[in-house]
Amino acid sequence: MTDRRQRSPRRGQGELEAQVLSALRAGEGPATAGWVQERLGGDLAYTTVITILTRLLAKGAVTRERAGRSFVWTPASDEAGLAARRMRRVLDGERDREAVLASFVTSLEPGDERLLRELLAHPEVQLAHPEAERED
């Protein structure tokens, strides 16, 4: 007779990283791996949390600094910045950047295309709420 333990379903690729980043963003400053583990419900091993944080560090998604004998971790940027970093990594991995960019732009919804054109024309403008109508 085999031992059939109840296993939780395997998480999707990147799901744990997203959960760790979300926990870090919810904090009020740099956080320890133990704090992150607690916020995630404690069902992950401490070593798993450290592994995820280390992977995020290698990807540039978090920073760390020494705090005594341990480290504290901080998100490197907000969600928009992290999404932009992922998009850039995908683009950097392609041989024909022009084709990828052209395909991306032609697949945008009209409102997104308009927003992209505005941002390209005025890169210094930071739009807090792109859905809102701007007064020119």
Side-chain angles (χ1 to χ4, degrees):
M1 190 173 242
T2 60
D3 179 21
R4 294 184 180 191
R5 294 181 212 169
Q6 288 283 351
R7 285 187 150 181
S8 59
R10 197 169 163 93
R11 291 176 175 93
Q13 182 180 9
E15 187 177 340
L16 281 177
E17 290 180 359
Q19 290 174 350
V20 167
L21 280 170
S22 179
L24 283 174
R25 277 192 217 100
E28 294 182 14
T32 64
W35 183 91
V36 171
Q37 181 190 25
E38 242 176 64
R39 293 308 170 277
L40 295 177
D43 63 334
L44 289 177
Y46 179 81
T47 54
T48 300
V49 175
I50 290 291
T51 298
I52 294 164
L53 287 166
T54 303
R55 287 180 183 163
L56 289 169
L57 179 67
K59 293 177 179 181
V62 299
T63 60
R64 74 177 181 190
E65 59 185 72
R66 183 125 341 246
R69 292 175 44 200
S70 187
F71 290 101
V72 290
W73 306 81
T74 307
S77 61
D78 61 7
E79 288 184 52
L82 291 171
R85 187 182 306 251
R86 285 192 303 269
M87 292 166 63
R88 178 64 187 261
R89 254 196 337 264
V90 169
L91 182 60
D92 288 345
E94 297 297 323
R95 289 185 184 173
D96 191 347
R97 295 172 72 89
E98 184 177 344
V100 172
L101 286 170
S103 180
F104 176 73
V105 170
T106 58
S107 70
L108 291 174
E109 296 292 323
D112 291 335
E113 184 179 343
R114 193 170 34 257
L115 176 60
L116 180 58
R117 288 182 189 284
E118 186 174 336
L119 290 169
L120 289 171
H122 306 286
E124 71 284 353
V125 175
Q126 293 286 328
L127 299 178
H129 300 287
E131 305 85 18
E133 288 292 324
R134 289 178 30 117
E135 293 180 338
D136 290 324

